[in-house]
């Protein structure tokens, strides 16, 4: 079993630390956020992520998981140092490497000889070399090991990955990194670092392309009177196409797909290739926010000025509390710009976010509302009392931007219902 330092205790870092400790390794997880570390030391997990708290408590109780403030404090005995810090979008769309560089600078002088530094953050092609330069150590190898977990099922995805990708020119370092995943059954693909870095961007970009494709097909369905649910079902049985990532919705959001698609366009541009297909994917996604806002306006009778709109769902998808680049927040702001009085509810959001102060229950926001817009696919929304909702609203009208609800059942209760592409 190995000694592993994990730098960054966010969605990826905390999951990586808790799962490696669960697999039997000794893990020290560092963050610069002192309050977060204090919380974690008490066994409290600051994010909504199924199964994570149990693994953190298990690691703390069994003495295989420690939390420290500052990357340098995790480095001295680390055989492996996983970088899991943010790579946000810079002004020109490219990935900002300053957090990666800062973390590498902090651990560089403290790492023991023969340590392996592993990039798990999503980083542009060439970043393995950047980290090598910043570390300035001939006795330390840098390896790329991108992460493919999804928020909401991070622990499950880490422990049951579709594949493990390791990018290294040093075969023995690649084998050492592969051996950390003891007990995890998945194909392991060893490549050179630029290919591993490209696999990560290409995968997220492909998923984003599927979503924009299906949202564009939904627009066609709206125009020609087809039902996108049936269309996707019929497409998905073709094993070359599959059923996954073909759910139409309010557009893709979150901390990764939007920034990674933009970064890939920028990476391609700087290498002399104009990635127009990916530009199209991004522009269809931007249009989708507008399309949903237009459906709400149309449902309200053509104008949103002074109109009360109820919104269910603020997170970028269900089963997470993450609102980074949430399509719901984009749509709420488009509605507010047109004069709507938006009242919102989300089961995972209790405090103000993006200018919205959420209510504590799904019913109160419907009081006097002309339209109810469902923007996140929380399962809880399916089982609410729709007779009560209808009674509270000015008139029962729903724009279901996730095609989540039971349309015939709602229509029987007198709702006017509009979905996406059906
Ligand atoms: P996050 O913002 O949730 O967490 C990052 C953490 O790093 C924060 O807690 C921050 O305080 C800490 N940090 C920043 N600088 C530090 C330093 N010098 N030392 C110690 N800690 C430091 O970010 P995230 O969502 O976990 O994403 C991290 C990386 O992983 C990004 O590159 C992202 O693209 C990639 N990624 C994210 C996901 C996901 O689902 N969120 C999945 C795969 C890959
Ligand atoms: C995504 C990828 O799925 C992960 O593999 C990757 O590791 C991660 O980004 C990352 O690099 O950070 P995540 O951001 O957690 O994971 O969310 P997804 O489940 O991919 O959803 C992204 C967005 O697409 C959400 O807004 C979601 O509602 C939307 N979506 C997804 C659809 O509109 N339709 C679908 O069929 C699927």
């Amino acid at each position: 079993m190995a000694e592993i330092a994990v730098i960054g205790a966010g969605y990826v870092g905390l999951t990586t630390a808790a799962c490696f400790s669960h697999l039997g390794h000794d893990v020290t997880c560092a963050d610069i956020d002192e309050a977060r570390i204090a919380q974690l030391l008490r066994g409290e997990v600051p994010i909504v992520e199924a199964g994570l708290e149990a693994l953190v408590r298990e690691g703390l109780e069994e003495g295989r998981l420690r939390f420290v403030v500052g990357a340098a404090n995790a480095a001295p005995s680390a055989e492996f140092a996983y970088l899991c810090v943010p790579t946000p979008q810079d002004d020109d769309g490219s990935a900002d490497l300053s957090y990666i560089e800062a973390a590498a600078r902090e651990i560089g002088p403290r790492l023991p000889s023969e340590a392996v530094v592993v990039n798990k953050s999503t980083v542009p092609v060439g970043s393995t070399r950047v980290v090598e330069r910043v570390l300035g150590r001939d006795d330390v190898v840098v390896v790329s090991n991108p992460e493919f977990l999804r928020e909401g099922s991070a622990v499950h995805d880490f422990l049951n990955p579709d594949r493990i990708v390791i990018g290294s020119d040093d075969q023995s370092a690649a084998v050492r990194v592969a051996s950390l995943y003891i007990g995890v059954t998945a194909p392991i693909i060893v490549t050179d670092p630029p290919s591993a870095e490209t696999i990560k961007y290409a995968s997220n970009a492909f998923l984003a392309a599927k979503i924009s494709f299906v949202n564009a097909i939904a627009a066609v369905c709206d125009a020609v009177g087809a039902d996108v649910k049936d269309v996707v079902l019929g497409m998905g049985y073709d094993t070359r196409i599959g059923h996954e990532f073909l759910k139409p919705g309010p557009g893709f959001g979150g901390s990764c797909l939007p920034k990674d698609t933009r970064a890939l366009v920028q990476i391609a541009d700087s290498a002399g290739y104009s990635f127009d297909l990916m530009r199209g994917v991004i522009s269809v996604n931007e249009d989708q926010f507008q399309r949903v806002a237009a459906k709400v306006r149309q449902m309200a009778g053509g104008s949103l000025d002074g109109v009360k709109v109820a919104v269910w769902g603020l997170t970028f998808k269900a089963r997470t509390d993450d609102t980074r680049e949430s399509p719901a927040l984009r749509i709420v702001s488009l509605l507010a710009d047109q004069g709507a009085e938006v009242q919102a509810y989300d089961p995972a959001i209790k405090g103000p976010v993006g200018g919205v102060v959420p209510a504590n229950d799904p019913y109160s926001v419907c009081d006097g509302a002309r339209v109810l817009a469902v923007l996140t696919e929380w399962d809880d929304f399916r089982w609410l009392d729709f007779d009560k909702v209808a009674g509270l609203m000015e008139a029962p009208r729903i724009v279901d931007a996730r095609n989540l609800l039971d349309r015939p059942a709602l229509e029987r209760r007198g709702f006017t219902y509009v979905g996406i592409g059906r």
Side-chain angles (χ1 to χ4, degrees), residues 380-415:
D380 323 22
F381 296 158
R382 293 172 197 264
W383 317 114
L384 295 172
D385 178 348
F386 284 95
D387 288 328
K388 183 171 170 181
V389 172
L392 286 164
M393 292 180 70
E394 185 190 286
R397 303 184 186 96
I398 288 189
V399 173
D400 181 1
R402 294 285 184 169
N403 291 345
L404 176 78
L405 305 175
D406 182 345
R407 177 184 192 147
L410 288 171
E411 287 176 343
R412 277 198 304 276
R413 288 178 159 82
F415 278 88

Side-chain angles (χ1 to χ4, degrees), residues 148-149 151 200 204 211 245 247 253 256 316-317 402:
F148 300 96
L149 63 78
E151 289 180 23
K200 174 63 196 174
N204 272 3
I211 300 167
F245 267 73
K247 284 198 201 75
C256 291
F316 82 98
K317 64 174 186 180
R402 294 285 184 169

Side-chain angles (χ1 to χ4, degrees), residues 227-264:
D227 184 331
V228 75
K229 269 200 168 173
D230 291 342
V231 172
V232 166
L233 192 66
M235 287 168 65
Y237 279 111
D238 184 328
T239 49
R240 296 168 302 173
I241 297 172
H243 293 284
E244 293 291 319
F245 267 73
L246 283 177
K247 284 198 201 75
F252 59 78
S255 65
C256 291
L257 260 45
K259 88 167 162 62
D260 292 347
T261 44
R262 289 182 211 122
L264 184 55

